[in-house]
Every structure is written in C-alpha cells, then in structure tokens.
Amino acid sequence: GRPRQLSLSPHFILAYSLASAPEFDPYKVLGVSRHASQAEIKKVYKRLAREWHPDKNKSPGAEDMFIKITKSYEILSNEERRANYDRFGQMDENQNFARAPQGFRHYHDSFYFDESFFHFPRTSRDFTDSKHLFHYNQYINEVLPDSFKRPYLIKITSEWCFTCIHIEPVWKDTVQELEPLGVGIGVVDIGYERQLANHLGAHRTPSILGLINGKVTFFHYAVVREHLRQFVESLLPQKLVEKVTDNSYFEFLNSWHEENKPRVLMFDVASNIPLLYKLTAFAYKDYVRFGYVDMGLTETSKVVQRFNINTYAPTMLLFKENTDKPADVIQARGMKKQIIDEFVSNNRFLLVPRLVNQKLFDELCPVKQFHRRRKYCVLLVTGEGEQFVSVNEAFFDFASSNTKEVLRFAYVYQRQQQPLCDTLLKKEDTTPPQVILLERRSATGRVLYRTVTGGWNGSDDDKHRLLEQLELLQRDPSYLTHDAMLPELNNEFASMFLIQWINTAYDYLAQFYFDLLYSNWREMMPILSLIFSALFILFGTVIIQEMQHGCIEHPLLSTYILQQTNPKETILTSSRRSQTLHYSFLNVDKHSQWMDSLMESAPDARPSDCLDKEEEEEDSTSNKSDYTGHVLALNGHKKYFCLFRPVFTGEETECSRWSDEDAATAGPSKASRSRSSSRQKATTLEIHHKLDRLGLWMERLMEGTLPRHYVPAWPGLDTITPQK
C-alpha cells in the first residue's frame, strides 16, 4: 500500500526542461517568410512597431510584444545575425535558442544544458540598450556624419559579458541624463558586430568611447556618472562658447558683420557653462556664434541691466543686424533642448546675410521642388567701399519691412564673388549696385532671374519699384525671363580654415600623446604598426633602388620567352613574378625574322667563331635559325637587351650552351669555343630541358651582372615571317 515514487533520471529532467522551453521565432513574430527581403522585413517592422508601441497601445501585453518585435527586427535586419539564426538559432533575453554546431550534433543532441534549468545569472539586454544598438552600415552612413553635429557616447559590450553587469546602473543613469541634452548614445555588441568593433579599435568588453567629428576617443577612468559627463564635455572643442562680461559684450555683438552670423547671449547663474549650452553651440557652430553671461558675477551686472534680464530664470537673447534690440528671446526655468533647438534653428540666418560660400547659398535659396514651396532670392550686388554704405542700409531697411516666407534677401560683394556677378550682370551690361530677382531650378546651378529695372540707389522710388516687381513676380512666376548656369561660389572664409586645421591637428597630437601614455598597447599597436610600416616601405624602396643596377632599371624591363610546345603555338613560363619585370612571349614561327633582325642589330650578342660557323651552315643547308627557348630581357627606353640561349641535356656541342650567363662568368676564352650547330637535335628534346639554367640566368639578371647588347633601334613587330 506504500505509494510508488517516480524516479526521474537527470537525463530525463534535462530533456524535459529543453522541451518545455518556449520557442522564439523572429520570422513568426514579424509574420514574414524565411525568404523575405530586407525591404519586406523593414516594411512589416514599421507597421507592427506603430501598432504595438506602448505609447499608443495600452493593452497589458503591448510592451512585451513591442520588445519581441524590436528583437526580431534586430536579428533579421542584420545579415550576419540572420545567417547565424538560420543556421544555429539565436539567443533571446529569457531563453537559450543557440543550437550546437552541425559537427557536434551527434553528441549534444542527447546531452546539452538549458540555461533556464540551472538559473545561471547572465547579462540581459534591456529595451534601452536594444534601441541604441549600432550596426556597421548604420554607423558609417548615419552616425559618423552626425558626429559633426553632436558627440556620441558608445558602450562596447557582448552577450556574455559578466563584468558589464557592474557598469549597467551607472550607464543607465548616464544615458538618462545625457540623451535629453543631445548626446548621441550607442551600444555595440562585439559578438555580432565584430567588423564595427574592429573599425572602432575596441577589442575588449566592457569599453566606453566617445565619437565627435569622426574621431574616436577611449574613456580610461572609473565608470562614474560624473566622470562620463566630464568625458563628454572634454570631447567638445575649446572656446565653443565665449564668456561675455560688461567689457566685452559690445564687441561680441558687433562682430556679426565679420563672421556673417547671428549672435546668441545665454544668461544663467552658474560659474561653469552648462553642458546643454555647449552642445547647442556645437550643433549650430556653422550658423550662430554663442556667448555666455554668468549673472552671478559683478562683472556682468551692466549687461544684465542693459537688457533687463530676469535673474531668476535662464534667458537667451538672439541678435541679428540690430545689436541694440534682440530679434528673439526665450526665458524658462527648465530650459529644454527642444525649445532651444527650435529657437536657434528659426533664427540661424541674418535678416540680410552675405553670400560667402555655396553651402549658405544652397540653404538660403533652396532649389524649387513644388509650386507652393517657391523661394525667391532677392540679391543685391554691391561693393565694400564707403560709397555703398547708404545703398546697403537702404536695402536692409526694405528687407526689414518686407519679411515674407517666400522671399529671401541677401547681398554679395562683387569683388569677392566676381564669377557669380559677371554671370548675372553680363546680359544687360549693368554695373553695381543692382538688385536681382532669381529662382534656383536645379542643384547644378541653373537659375531663372531678372534684374530690377532702374538699378538700385536706395531711394524711395527704387523701393517702390522693387516692391511692385516683387508683387508681380509672386503673381506670375514667368516674370523671370533670363536663364543662366551659375558657377560655384567662392569660399570667402577659406583663409580661416588654415587656423582651424592647425587647431584640429593640435587636438589630434594631444590626444595621441595622451593615448600613448595611458592607453594599453593593444589599442596603440595599429597606429604604431602603420607608422613603422610606412617608414620601412619608404626607406626599403630607396635602398633597393640604389642597390639595383644592370638590367633592372626603369623604364620597365620586359622579359620575352620564346618556347615552342608544338610547331604552331607558344606558351609563357616563368618561375617568379616581379613588379619590375613584365612577362610576354613571341611565336617562333611568326617572329623568327624579327629575331634575325634583332641579332643583326647587335653583333656582339654572338661569338665571332659561332657566327662564321652559322654562315657556313646557312650556305650549306636551307634550315633557318631556331630560336626556340631563347629568352630576351629588353629595356625599351635605353635600347639594350640581355640574352639567354637554351641549354640542352643530352648530346650537344659546346656552342649550344652559350648564353650571356656564360659570357659573364667564363670570360672570352671559354666563349670562343662554346657553340655548335646541332639545332635540329634540340627540337626533338623535351622543352623543360631547354630551360634548365634559366633560374641561374634570372638571378644574374636581377643582380645586374649580365652584359648588355645595345641596338640603334628596335625592329618592328609588324614584320611577320610568312608561313610556308
């Protein structure tokens, strides 16, 4: 009556645990086939992400489903991860989907461990890390260009990095603090994105690095939130925001004309410039100049009183051409990035900016796309002298009273942009100052334009005439009658790039010195290897060129091997390749006449006694010279060649063994008795026997110890021996 106890073997328990583990299939989650293209997967992901996003879908399982959708897209959108899943399976956060490699299936099918059974603590990637994951193509095409507008903080991790657990709380707090300020956040899984990790120079986990202006900098301090914040701040260029006091604010505001940029004054009670302001200044450094006023200092009381600033809330004033009155103001206790971005972006151009480069022209006067989005550029062609001051001020007054979204006002100095002005003024043969109405039609430079009749002197009549023609243009776009292709604008600030380049070079050298002192050598090895490799190649090339003489001289040396496999074809054989030698071949049947001409042009290529014997042979027999297996090393520019004659194994006379190698080693006494006339026997022997000593000849050729046979001119290859 005692109840029976069911005994389960460990093997059975493991198998049961494996069978009960829930299955995760990214194809089923997204509802696509295993042969779906990337375009189909992306389209389905966008639709499902909108449907299941927790902000829009309030059902209890929406967040879990959204995470599954995101995880599935991470796997299937990356070709490497997708291939790994198709082959082995993929690991998810809650269960193990990895399968054993095919070569070990016979062992692991009957015995492998499921993680859920043992409850091992392993790293799990939360939703925050998932949305910040970087792929190689995404990094190259999106993140790298964006690093010129904002810095990035990137964490290098892996799926099984147990030490990464210790920095997770600090990393999350740092992300929550810095991301709202505008810092880019990235996560690179070194297990899946090995190519990207190698590109960044990251070889261990965990690692943290910064990216700005396309430059990668590693973080070398203790992972503390304050250290990470200081690290991001140190990435930003120096003097990005100028500190302004009572003595310097007037000069700061009035320098808009030289830099052609609006000015922003930020008022706050803090001795250090807030990171939010620095990030904003970096994002808009090409458009706006930023200054900071610490309202807690006595040296700033006058400027605070001058603009009637409320000291209880941060304030931002934006000035354009009028330095007495700000063009726009924002004031808020909790200054947010979105508010600041909108404030600066809407005021990033002066009211009447000067066209100083092509980039400004493209943004100020964009190419027409749709009829309702037409942008007409009202351009004043003027000069820099005092006689143009009143004219320019009148144009600015007119622009100030006619601010319409469809109109963009600008001016250009004829002396600075001569090609542009010549193109616009040549048809009507007018001289500055002139006002031109234009509309850009293509990014290549095509515009429609028309010069305002009557010129521009800044009088009331001129203003009235310009207003009438602008109203006519807005009613009838065909009013622009001239068509032209504008040249690219000169960069008037090109001279300033030298100073910027010097500052950038200094930053790189300083960073290199820092890395040399504090980085581990593994991170520095690629740079040092590149430097020493370049030096080795440079000096090695010079030394080799100095040591090479003889036949190995530039211009290029060509090696011709005449070898007969059958009476009708030839092949090229060589045992080595060289950047100095170019290999080719000549056909014995077709080019024997060319060889005869070459030998006649260089009598010293044959011994005198062999020449006499050959003349007797040619008189007594009708056989022509057999050049099968001969090798020529030709220097086309200096008109000389080195000659190798084949060496036959078997019955042969001394003369058949003659070559330049023998002449270089044995001297004239041996050369005079080293040739015979047994060519017919030679043709019956195997080909490789004819080239037995070619390797030794090639070594002498590379050493430059072979004699040179000079010719007055190369015989023409157009002369072909007729076939019999």
Side-chain angles (χ1 to χ4, degrees):
R2 190 176 179 180
R4 296 177 58 187
Q5 292 183 352
L6 180 62
S7 176
L8 297 178
S9 65
H11 180 85
F12 177 82
I13 295 176
L14 291 174
Y16 178 80
S17 175
L18 171 63
S20 62
E23 192 71 25
F24 175 83
D25 188 345
Y27 293 102
K28 291 182 180 179
V29 173
L30 296 182
V32 297
S33 67
R34 289 185 173 270
H35 304 289
S37 64
Q38 289 295 331
E40 295 175 359
I41 293 173
K42 187 175 183 179
K43 182 178 180 181
V44 172
Y45 165 72
K46 288 184 176 181
R47 176 176 58 81
L48 293 177
R50 288 194 298 268
E51 179 182 351
W52 291 97
H53 197 283
D55 293 342
K56 296 183 179 180
N57 194 324
K58 301 301 181 181
S59 60
E63 185 174 355
D64 293 338
M65 186 61 184
F66 183 76
I67 294 176
K68 288 183 178 180
I69 293 170
T70 304
K71 180 67 175 179
S72 301
Y73 181 70
E74 289 177 10
I75 297 173
L76 300 184
S77 62
N78 183 279
E79 294 296 343
E80 184 178 354
R81 293 188 180 188
R82 185 177 181 180
N84 288 338
Y85 177 81
D86 292 340
R87 189 177 179 185
F88 306 118
Q90 184 67 36
M91 302 189 85
D92 190 48
E93 293 182 10
N94 301 319
Q95 59 266 3
N96 184 358
F97 303 104
R99 301 170 188 167
Q102 297 297 327
F104 298 93
R105 294 293 295 178
H106 65 280
Y107 175 78
H108 287 283
D109 278 346
S110 60
F111 189 79
Y112 90 82
F113 297 95
D114 179 57
E115 177 191 332
S116 60
F117 177 75
F118 292 99
H119 304 288
F120 283 155
R122 67 177 282 248
T123 59
S124 60
R125 180 177 298 133
D126 58 14
F127 179 68
T128 303
D129 274 3
S130 297
K131 71 176 183 178
H132 293 137
L133 280 175
F134 281 169
H135 308 311
Y136 180 79
N137 291 334
Q138 174 195 7
Y139 174 84
I140 296 298
N141 299 325
E142 300 176 12
V143 177
L144 205 58
D146 193 47
S147 68
F148 290 86
K149 297 180 181 179
R150 61 172 176 165
Y152 275 81
L153 191 65
I154 302 174
K155 179 181 69 172
I156 309 298
T157 184
S158 65
E159 195 76 17
W160 290 92
C161 173
F162 290 97
T163 56
C164 298
I165 300 175
H166 302 291
I167 69 170
E168 281 303 313
V170 178
W171 175 259
K172 286 184 179 180
D173 293 343
T174 305
V175 170
Q176 293 175 1
E177 177 187 1
L178 297 182
E179 192 173 23
L181 301 181
V183 178
I185 304 297
V187 176
V188 176
D189 192 321
I190 200 171
Y192 294 114
E193 293 295 334
R194 176 67 62 179
Q195 182 182 10
L196 177 54
N198 292 336
H199 180 80
L200 294 173
H203 305 288
R204 61 181 181 180
T205 58
S207 296
I208 296 177
L209 55 89
L211 174 70
I212 190 169
N213 290 332
K215 174 190 172 186
V216 175
T217 304
F218 279 84
F219 177 76
H220 298 289
Y221 302 98
V223 182
V224 182
R225 186 171 66 172
E226 186 62 28
H227 289 174
L228 290 173
R229 180 189 178 93
Q230 293 174 1
F231 173 66
V232 171
E233 197 164 356
S234 68
L235 297 175
L236 297 170
Q238 300 295 324
K239 299 181 180 180
L240 197 59
V241 180
E242 180 180 346
K243 287 193 174 183
V244 178
T245 62
D246 295 338
N247 298 327
S248 60
Y249 85 91
F250 184 80
E251 180 182 357
F252 173 79
L253 294 179
N254 283 277
S255 60
W256 65 267
H257 189 271
E258 288 76 13
E259 295 188 22
N260 198 42
K261 294 178 181 179
R263 329 302 274 179
V264 170
L265 271 181
M266 299 176 286
F267 295 82
D268 203 343
V269 183
S271 57
N272 295 323
I273 303 174
L275 181 58
L276 175 61
Y277 297 161
K278 291 185 177 181
L279 293 171
T280 304
F282 180 75
Y284 294 96
K285 60 183 180 299
D286 295 333
Y287 304 96
V288 181
R289 188 79 171 98
F290 290 82
Y292 177 73
V293 178
D294 181 6
M295 295 187 292
L297 300 177
T298 56
E299 294 85 353
T300 61
S301 58
K302 292 182 180 179
V303 64
V304 172
Q305 185 179 1
R306 166 70 178 79
F307 296 106
N308 195 22
I309 303 299
N310 183 358
T311 57
Y312 296 99
T315 305
M316 297 183 72
L317 306 182
L318 189 140
F319 296 85
K320 295 188 177 181
E321 287 89 345
N322 187 358
T323 58
D324 295 328
K325 182 180 180 181
D328 204 351
V329 180
I330 59 170
Q331 188 177 58
R333 290 187 179 275
M335 197 74 75
K336 301 296 183 182
K337 177 181 181 299
Q338 184 178 0
I339 299 175
I340 298 178
D341 285 345
E342 184 178 358
F343 172 75
V344 178
S345 179
N346 293 338
N347 296 281
R348 66 184 186 275
F349 299 119
L350 294 170
L351 188 62
V352 186
R354 184 172 86 254
L355 297 184
V356 294
N357 52 46
Q358 187 65 35
K359 179 183 177 182
L360 179 60
F361 186 36
D362 293 340
E363 296 192 36
L364 196 65
C365 303
V367 177
K368 171 202 169 185
Q369 295 179 345
F370 305 102
H371 177 73
R372 294 185 178 181
R373 295 185 181 180
R374 290 180 181 272
K375 298 288 184 183
Y376 297 108
C377 214
V378 185
L379 183 63
L380 171 65
V381 180
T382 183
E384 304 177 60
E386 293 184 0
Q387 66 272 23
F388 295 100
V389 173
S390 59
V391 173
N392 299 342
E393 290 178 352
F395 185 75
F396 172 76
D397 293 338
F398 179 85
S400 302
S401 58
N402 291 274
T403 54
K404 295 182 180 180
E405 182 62 26
V406 72
L407 299 177
R408 296 288 177 86
F409 293 86
Y411 70 98
V412 62
Y413 288 146
Q414 184 186 26
R415 186 177 64 85
Q416 300 286 353
Q417 303 292 342
Q418 191 70 45
L420 173 70
C421 298
D422 290 345
T423 303
L424 295 175
L425 300 177
K426 66 180 180 180
K427 287 192 175 181
E428 299 185 5
D429 194 20
T430 54
T431 58
Q434 295 289 336
V435 176
I436 298 173
L437 311 178
L438 63 85
E439 179 185 14
R440 299 186 65 199
R441 287 302 182 94
S442 72
T444 58
R446 180 173 175 265
V447 297
L448 297 178
Y449 72 98
R450 182 165 183 164
T451 305
V452 175
T453 56
W456 178 263
N457 293 318
S459 62
D460 292 338
D461 292 340
D462 292 341
K463 295 179 180 179
H464 182 70
R465 192 184 312 111
L466 176 56
L467 182 61
E468 289 180 346
Q469 296 186 38
L470 287 175
E471 293 175 351
L472 179 60
L473 174 61
Q474 295 177 58
R475 292 195 303 267
D476 182 14
S478 62
Y479 180 73
L480 302 179
T481 56
H482 299 310
D483 192 338
M485 291 292 295
L486 297 184
E488 184 172 348
L489 271 67
N490 299 327
N491 188 359
E492 297 182 17
F493 293 150
S495 58
M496 298 179 61
F497 283 101
L498 178 60
I499 300 176
Q500 296 177 3
W501 183 87
I502 293 175
N503 293 333
T504 304
Y506 173 78
D507 292 339
Y508 271 95
L509 291 175
Q511 183 62 39
F512 177 79
Y513 175 74
F514 176 82
D515 291 339
L516 192 63
L517 289 179
Y518 299 103
S519 297
N520 58 55
W521 284 101
R522 186 174 183 179
E523 295 174 359
M524 293 300 301
M525 279 305 295
I527 300 176
L528 297 177
S529 176
L530 178 63
I531 295 174
F532 284 109
S533 297
L535 293 175
F536 177 78
I537 293 173
L538 177 62
F539 289 104
T541 303
V542 174
I543 293 173
I544 291 174
Q545 289 181 349
E546 290 295 331
M547 292 177 62
Q548 287 181 344
H549 296 287
C551 289
I552 310 303
E553 295 183 7
H554 292 288
L556 296 176
L557 191 69
S558 301
T559 301
Y560 289 85
I561 300 181
L562 290 87
Q563 178 176 338
Q564 183 175 358
T565 59
N566 59 53
K568 296 300 180 184
E569 66 178 279
T570 61
I571 63 172
L572 167 67
T573 63
S574 78
S575 59
R576 67 180 70 184
R577 289 289 179 184
S578 171
Q579 294 181 352
T580 312
L581 299 179
H582 291 249
Y583 292 85
S584 183
F585 67 91
L586 294 176
N587 189 289
V588 175
D589 294 336
K590 294 182 179 180
H591 301 102
S592 61
Q593 187 173 345
W594 182 86
M595 283 292 296
D596 290 336
S597 301
L598 180 64
M599 291 301 183
E600 292 175 1
S601 301
D604 61 335
R606 298 179 180 178
S608 58
D609 59 338
C610 288
L611 289 173
D612 298 335
K613 291 180 181 180
E614 287 176 2
E615 290 176 358
E616 294 175 2
E617 278 184 2
E618 291 174 358
D619 294 336
S620 60
T621 64
S622 59
N623 294 333
K624 61 182 180 180
S625 300
D626 183 11
Y627 296 108
T628 304
H630 285 58
V631 180
L632 295 174
L634 310 178
N635 190 310
H637 177 66
K638 295 190 176 182
K639 297 181 181 178
Y640 67 84
F641 66 92
C642 301
L643 177 64
F644 170 84
R645 290 186 178 85
V647 175
F648 304 110
T649 58
E651 294 183 5
E652 55 194 320
T653 60
E654 293 295 326
C655 198
S656 66
R657 291 198 178 108
W658 174 260
S659 71
D660 285 344
E661 175 195 342
D662 298 312
T665 58
S669 60
K670 185 177 179 180
S672 62
R673 56 179 188 274
S674 62
R675 189 173 172 88
S676 73
S677 59
S678 58
R679 293 186 179 85
Q680 287 185 334
K681 292 182 180 180
T683 58
T684 63
L685 300 177
E686 294 184 3
I687 296 172
H688 69 272
H689 290 311
K690 301 180 180 181
L691 303 177
D692 283 344
R693 302 179 65 181
L694 179 59
L696 181 59
W697 182 86
M698 289 290 292
E699 292 180 2
R700 299 284 176 82
L701 176 68
M702 300 299 293
E703 293 172 357
T705 58
L706 294 177
R708 306 174 184 176
H709 308 296
Y710 288 88
V711 295
W714 295 111
L717 278 175
D718 54 343
T719 302
I720 304 298
T721 305
Q723 298 289 339
K724 294 184 180 180

